Amino acid sequence: MKTVIFTDMDGTLLDHETYSFEPARPTLEELAAAKIPVIPTTSKTFAELIDLRTTIGLNGPFIIENGAAIYIPHGFFEQKPSGTTWQDGFWCKTFISNKGYWLKQLDIVKLEFGSEFNHFSNMDISEIQKVTGLDEISAAKAAQRQFGEPVLWLGSDERKQAFIHAMTERGANPLEGGRFIHISGECNKGTALTWFMEEYQRQLAEAAQAIALGDGKNDIAMLEVADIAVRIRSTHHQPPPLDKEDNVYTSTLTGPEGWREMLNQLVLEI
């Protein structure tokens, strides 16, 4: 059976503090040699992923902004993927509309929560650098969001839940990541994973299994629908809670070390 790997980036394939993937490099090289696709499935933007995937050595599809869109290189499939348009040099499948609407909704809730949060469109590049730890170029790419808006919560946990409720009432689908609350429409990494696996199996005309790896709450939907769910341990929070019980694994190591640990056990040793 074919295997496809979907991986979160920050805190999973990339170290939460340094953004390094070096501990996972040998495993990435072995997966490439075995022709097993590794698909970044992340809250990051298109602009961030274009360079990052090249740095990591990945040249296949990638899912951006928590499942808002998936980009597939020409030639990955023999046929044009269903429901896609040609965009920025890729076949692109989008699941929601752009972020403009959500910026208007955030302006409305500022009347109640104004001093308790900040968000990317309200920050300059130096402020984004400060809250993300990114360098200037990387921070500028992180700001180029097409579909959703990262919110930096500054208030209490109790008020955070009230804020999330207020945005949900306005039709948002708030997702808590490792650092931010991501505000966008009804999309998630699980929907994007499911769409891709259906297209993958349709085009290859054979069965395939999905392995998903993630460390945060915004990975839950992806982990729930994957055939094999891998929770990467974090030094910052507990592993994301799942309803499913079968084929759920949790690493003993954190970040890219845990990523390497689990894929070596589940894929490469087999």
Side-chain angles (χ1 to χ4, degrees):
M1 179 181 288
K2 296 280 190 180
T3 295
V4 182
I5 294 168
F6 296 82
T7 181
D8 175 50
M9 302 301 282
D10 293 355
T12 299
L13 179 55
L14 305 179
D15 183 89
H16 185 87
E17 303 296 340
T18 67
Y19 296 105
S20 171
F21 69 96
E22 282 303 320
R25 186 190 290 273
T27 300
L28 283 163
E29 291 172 352
E30 289 188 61
L31 292 168
K35 293 183 169 53
I36 296 174
V38 175
I39 300 179
T41 308
T42 176
S43 62
K44 291 183 181 296
T45 64
F46 176 86
E48 289 177 283
L49 260 293
I50 285 297
D51 291 336
L52 181 58
R53 61 198 278 276
T54 301
T55 300
I56 295 173
L58 300 174
N59 57 12
F62 53 101
I63 296 168
I64 66 164
E65 297 193 38
N66 288 313
I70 181 165
Y71 289 84
I72 302 170
H74 180 71
F76 183 85
F77 290 129
E78 289 190 4
Q79 304 169 17
K80 172 184 175 292
S82 61
T84 61
T85 57
W86 187 249
Q87 183 175 316
D88 297 317
F90 296 86
W91 293 115
C92 178
K93 169 68 175 177
T94 59
F95 297 93
I96 56 171
S97 56
N98 64 37
K99 72 175 182 181
Y101 176 79
W102 304 113
L103 293 179
K104 293 177 183 177
Q105 300 307 307
L106 285 170
D107 282 342
I108 293 171
V109 301
K110 281 178 184 176
L111 296 172
E112 181 180 355
F113 300 97
S115 65
E116 295 173 276
F117 73 90
N118 203 351
H119 58 98
F120 269 30
S121 296
N122 194 49
M123 300 178 186
D124 60 29
I125 298 304
S126 64
E127 289 177 296
I128 293 176
Q129 284 184 260
K130 184 176 179 180
V131 298
T132 62
L134 295 170
D135 60 46
E136 184 176 357
I137 293 174
S138 299
K141 291 175 182 175
Q144 296 177 39
R145 308 197 75 81
Q146 299 165 268
F147 302 100
E149 180 73 351
V151 168
L152 178 67
W153 185 252
L154 305 172
S156 68
D157 285 345
E158 182 179 355
R159 290 286 289 166
K160 178 171 72 172
Q161 295 310 311
F163 168 79
I164 288 172
H165 179 71
M167 290 306 300
T168 301
E169 284 194 325
R170 286 164 175 76
N173 181 38
L175 291 170
E176 291 187 68
R179 289 179 172 83
F180 304 99
I181 305 170
H182 297 272
I183 302 298
S184 71
E186 186 62 46
C187 73
N188 59 59
K189 296 179 180 183
T191 300
L193 182 155
T194 298
W195 178 88
F196 182 85
M197 290 303 294
E198 289 174 354
E199 184 67 16
Y200 187 85
Q201 292 176 99
R202 183 183 75 83
Q203 295 236 14
L204 271 65
E206 59 180 295
Q209 67 173 353
I211 298 177
L213 302 96
D215 74 304
K217 291 182 180 179
N218 62 336
D219 299 313
I220 289 175
M222 171 178 74
L223 295 169
E224 291 283 12
V225 300
D227 297 291
I228 297 174
V230 179
R231 302 184 300 182
I232 300 300
R233 198 170 295 279
S234 171
T235 57
H236 295 268
H237 49 77
Q238 292 298 311
L242 299 180
D243 290 331
K244 70 184 292 181
E245 297 179 354
D246 295 336
N247 294 319
V248 176
Y249 300 87
T250 304
S251 67
T252 61
L253 303 175
T254 61
E257 288 88 354
W259 196 93
R260 176 191 64 206
E261 169 197 11
M262 298 310 301
L263 286 178
N264 284 352
Q265 290 179 16
L266 293 171
V267 180
L268 297 177
E269 290 179 5
I270 295 173

